[in-house]
Amino acid sequence: MAMHKRKLIVADDIAINRLLLRALFEKDFDVLEAENGVEALRELHAHQEETAVVLLDLEMPELDGFGVLRGMRESGLMDRIPVVMISGSSDDEKTLLSYKLGVSDLIEKPFNADITYRRVRNIVDLYDHKRSLEEQVED
């Protein structure tokens, strides 16, 4: 029986970044791509039950990463789906705001593939463990 892969959403307006992240994660996840924040929210709402993690670029057209985070908070998705922010700048104010809005981690571009992979896998594993514990408490 084939194992059903959970989804990873990559939201980045730069095609090469989406391609690199797809290549990095496609063996573990069904990778969905979004070119902007509007598409990212659309994918999130369409696949919220199967989405394991979102890799979110901070600077995108139409709706930036902060807009996506706010949309996720309003719809309650931030509590269930971890977000890793991807940023080309090391701006402390933006980093702090990202964490205040609920991101699990922040990765700076250009990213190291091995480190990015481990950090994202660790976050997914932590969220899975947290969800499992919450379900045990509810039972």
Side-chain angles (χ1 to χ4, degrees), residues 1 18 26 29 35-36 38 45 48-49 57-58 60 65 69-70 72-73 76 83-84 88 100 107 121:
M1 187 171 116
R18 293 193 310 273
E26 65 187 353
F29 299 97
E35 292 182 23
N36 60 55
V38 174
H45 288 290
Q48 57 185 294
E49 296 306 317
D57 186 22
L58 186 54
M60 294 182 291
L69 292 173
R70 288 184 183 100
M72 287 180 71
R73 283 178 72 122
V83 177
V84 176
K100 282 182 178 174
I107 295 170
R121 282 302 325 188

Side-chain angles (χ1 to χ4, degrees), residues 94-127:
K94 288 180 179 175
T95 299
L96 191 56
L97 181 56
S98 298
Y99 283 118
K100 282 182 178 174
L101 289 172
V103 301
S104 297
D105 202 355
L106 190 116
I107 295 170
E108 287 182 27
K109 293 186 228 178
F111 32 76
N112 174 300
D114 294 329
I115 292 170
T116 299
Y117 178 82
R118 283 292 2 131
R119 287 167 77 174
V120 170
R121 282 302 325 188
N122 286 346
I123 287 165
V124 170
D125 291 347
L126 278 170
Y127 258 72

Side-chain angles (χ1 to χ4, degrees), residues 3-118:
M3 178 76 177
H4 177 69
K5 286 187 191 176
R6 290 165 64 206
K7 298 185 184 330
L8 175 147
I9 298 173
V10 175
D12 194 319
D13 58 319
I14 309 290
I16 189 70
N17 291 338
R18 293 193 310 273
L19 191 67
L20 288 168
L21 291 166
R22 172 181 288 281
L24 190 58
F25 290 105
E26 65 187 353
K27 76 177 194 295
D28 294 336
F29 299 97
D30 179 11
V31 179
L32 305 175
E33 296 181 25
E35 292 182 23
N36 60 55
V38 174
E39 283 182 22
L41 284 175
R42 192 177 309 127
E43 291 292 351
L44 263 164
H45 288 290
H47 304 284
Q48 57 185 294
E49 296 306 317
E50 314 93 68
T51 300
V53 64
V54 177
L55 305 184
L56 182 62
D57 186 22
L58 186 54
E59 294 171 24
M60 294 182 291
E62 292 189 53
L63 186 66
D64 68 5
F66 292 134
V68 173
L69 292 173
R70 288 184 183 100
M72 287 180 71
R73 283 178 72 122
E74 286 165 15
S75 59
L77 293 175
M78 283 304 297
D79 299 331
R80 299 197 322 265
I81 301 171
V83 177
V84 176
M85 188 67 85
I86 301 167
S87 177
S89 73
S90 55
D91 179 328
D92 284 350
E93 274 184 44
K94 288 180 179 175
T95 299
L96 191 56
L97 181 56
S98 298
Y99 283 118
K100 282 182 178 174
L101 289 172
V103 301
S104 297
D105 202 355
L106 190 116
I107 295 170
E108 287 182 27
K109 293 186 228 178
F111 32 76
N112 174 300
D114 294 329
I115 292 170
T116 299
Y117 178 82
R118 283 292 2 131

